[in-house]
Amino acid sequence: PMSVPPPAATSSDEEDDSDASTKPIRSEKKKNPASLFQTGGDPPKEKKTKKKAPPKAAESEEETPESPQKNSNKKGKGKKSKKPKEERPPSPVIEVDNLEEFVLRPAPQGVTIKCRVTRDKKGMDRGLYPTYYLHLDNDKKVFLLAGRKRKKSKTSNYLISIDPTDLSRGGENFIGKLRSNLMGTKFTVFDNGANPDRANANWSNVRQELSAVVYETNVLGFKGPRKMTVIIPGMNSDNERVPIRPRNDNDGLLMRWQNKNMDNVIELHNKAPVWNDETQSYVLNFHGRVTHASVKNFQIVHGSDPDYIVMQFGRVADDAFTMDYNYPLCAVQAFAIALSSFDGKLACE
């Protein structure tokens, strides 16, 4: 069930699948993507049995029968003749019991959480401060998060809330925020903990940094694909996020990454798209989840296994995007990374 026909624009790492010498290493990696993100000690031995589902199973499923041919214009060109669709199991049902807990919890291993981001430009200052909504992309369209740029902030500063109508900093629905540097090229994602200035005695109330995103400024302006680096906390042996609670700005994920102090920190990148001469465009295979070409489309991968998609994001309509994420990301991390890609200062639109 795992064989997905390769896109026409195969990248070299997909071609060498046929070479038997690379097979064992590759399948070894595939069995346990968890090990890519483990930083806090060795995983307990008995945990291994859980990893039966290959992480690709959910990711590569063609969701809607009509997507393959729509898709042929760009990303992941056609070649969908070997209909593997029938025997693929339907997406697992995602239970969102407690919203606040769910959006901070890493995706379960082997399950892709498929979401949709919609951009709402209605209202007074429409173009400048749209509200972004995140829903599960399933029949019930369960609401997960809303995000909006704060108006009076010197740098880009987005509040993320678990209530679509309450995007205030003080309310109990505030769940996280995304803040950029002055240049608008580096972003940090925080949970809803306290600023270090208001720390309690043992620092347990201080906010965690959930992720950082660095955009390489593109010399080509908007002619070439963007380059992103995503920095996230590692996972411990129980597959939980290692809490990173910086005491000041010099101790955050960005500084650790810049100083190459990568203890308990994982570095991810966007997968480089492949130039396709026929369509004269850069393409990535989104397996039917993305239908419109856009510089905002991206897939995030770990350098050691470019086939395991940690998250992907791409346009399906003018103001609609799909956002799918896998272990070890949670919804707040993935949504904030997606929000960073909308930010105006990246002005290579």
Side-chain angles (χ1 to χ4, degrees):
M2 278 187 57
S3 64
V4 178
T10 25
S11 57
S12 53
D13 61 58
E14 280 157 326
E15 280 155 13
D16 62 21
D17 260 357
S18 54
D19 173 359
S21 65
T22 64
K23 269 277 166 34
I25 306 158
R26 175 145 305 191
S27 55
E28 205 64 15
K29 250 188 288 195
K30 285 246 151 68
K31 265 194 216 90
N32 182 9
S35 58
L36 296 172
F37 307 104
Q38 194 109 42
T39 58
D42 296 321
K45 292 287 170 282
E46 67 278 15
K47 280 264 161 72
K48 286 281 196 307
T49 52
K50 283 229 226 41
K51 317 278 181 342
K52 288 199 195 67
K56 278 299 237 205
E59 196 268 318
S60 57
E61 152 200 331
E62 260 74 43
E63 214 78 317
T64 44
E66 72 268 19
S67 58
Q69 73 273 14
K70 269 224 296 270
N71 224 10
S72 57
N73 59 355
K74 281 275 180 287
K75 317 283 171 235
K77 310 250 304 154
K79 280 263 185 83
K80 296 268 162 63
S81 48
K82 304 190 191 69
K83 300 209 180 61
K85 261 187 237 100
E86 284 71 52
E87 64 271 28
R88 286 222 182 92
S91 288
V93 178
I94 313 271
E95 286 301 332
V96 182
D97 26 11
N98 168 342
L99 186 53
E100 182 166 4
E101 202 251 345
F102 176 84
V103 295
L104 289 166
R105 186 170 64 215
Q109 290 174 41
V111 175
T112 297
I113 301 195
K114 299 184 174 176
C115 308
R116 201 172 173 91
V117 174
T118 45
R119 175 170 54 187
D120 180 5
K121 293 178 171 167
K122 292 198 264 310
M124 284 285 293
D125 27 16
R126 33 163 154 270
L128 289 175
Y129 300 99
T131 306
Y132 298 92
Y133 298 104
L134 182 71
H135 290 82
L136 282 182
D137 199 359
N138 59 9
D139 301 340
K140 295 206 180 74
K141 305 269 178 280
V142 181
F143 167 81
L144 297 178
L145 294 166
R148 182 165 195 211
K149 199 174 192 169
R150 295 182 77 176
K151 294 184 184 145
K152 295 191 171 56
S153 196
K154 288 192 279 303
T155 61
S156 295
N157 199 325
Y158 292 79
L159 286 187
I160 299 172
S161 164
I162 49 174
D163 181 322
T165 59
D166 169 27
L167 283 146
S168 64
R169 175 71 176 81
E172 65 258 33
N173 296 307
F174 168 68
I175 192 98
K177 73 173 195 177
L178 168 75
R179 187 180 76 192
S180 81
N181 64 349
L182 280 167
M183 290 284 295
T185 52
K186 294 178 179 158
F187 295 80
T188 302
V189 182
F190 302 94
D191 72 1
N192 54 3
N195 190 307
D197 310 341
R198 295 189 280 283
N200 59 12
N202 64 359
W203 287 83
S204 61
N205 68 333
V206 169
R207 63 191 180 195
Q208 292 185 38
E209 288 195 6
L210 298 178
S211 177
V213 190
V214 178
Y215 289 88
E216 213 173 284
T217 41
N218 193 335
V219 264
L220 292 167
F222 57 144
K223 293 192 182 62
R226 294 175 174 181
K227 280 199 170 147
M228 302 164 69
T229 301
V230 172
I231 304 131
I232 56 171
M235 306 299 276
N236 67 17
S237 56
D238 291 331
N239 300 318
E240 288 155 352
R241 215 171 17 249
V242 177
I244 298 213
R245 290 196 170 88
R247 311 242 160 159
N248 55 53
D249 281 346
N250 295 324
D251 179 33
L253 288 170
L254 285 169
M255 287 309 282
R256 294 183 189 203
W257 174 75
Q258 271 163 278
N259 299 330
K260 304 208 170 16
N261 163 18
M262 300 297 283
D263 290 343
N264 289 327
V265 176
I266 302 277
E267 177 181 323
L268 307 169
H269 292 276
N270 65 321
K271 190 170 186 169
V274 182
W275 178 255
N276 180 333
D277 264 343
E278 198 186 324
T279 59
Q280 288 292 297
S281 63
Y282 286 96
V283 294
L284 279 171
N285 185 6
F286 288 91
H287 300 290
R289 292 285 289 154
V290 176
T291 54
H292 286 49
S294 165
V295 296
K296 292 192 174 76
N297 299 349
F298 63 82
Q299 289 177 328
I300 301 294
V301 293
H302 189 292
S304 307
D305 186 355
D307 293 335
Y308 178 74
I309 308 290
V310 180
M311 96 171 258
Q312 69 177 20
F313 177 76
R315 177 172 264 152
V316 290
D318 280 350
D319 289 304
F321 303 80
T322 50
M323 183 195 94
D324 301 346
Y325 67 95
N326 279 304
Y327 180 86
L329 290 192
C330 68
V332 171
Q333 285 169 311
F335 184 50
I337 293 166
L339 286 178
S340 75
S341 77
F342 286 111
D343 199 58
K345 291 213 178 124
L346 294 170
C348 45
E349 273 298 16

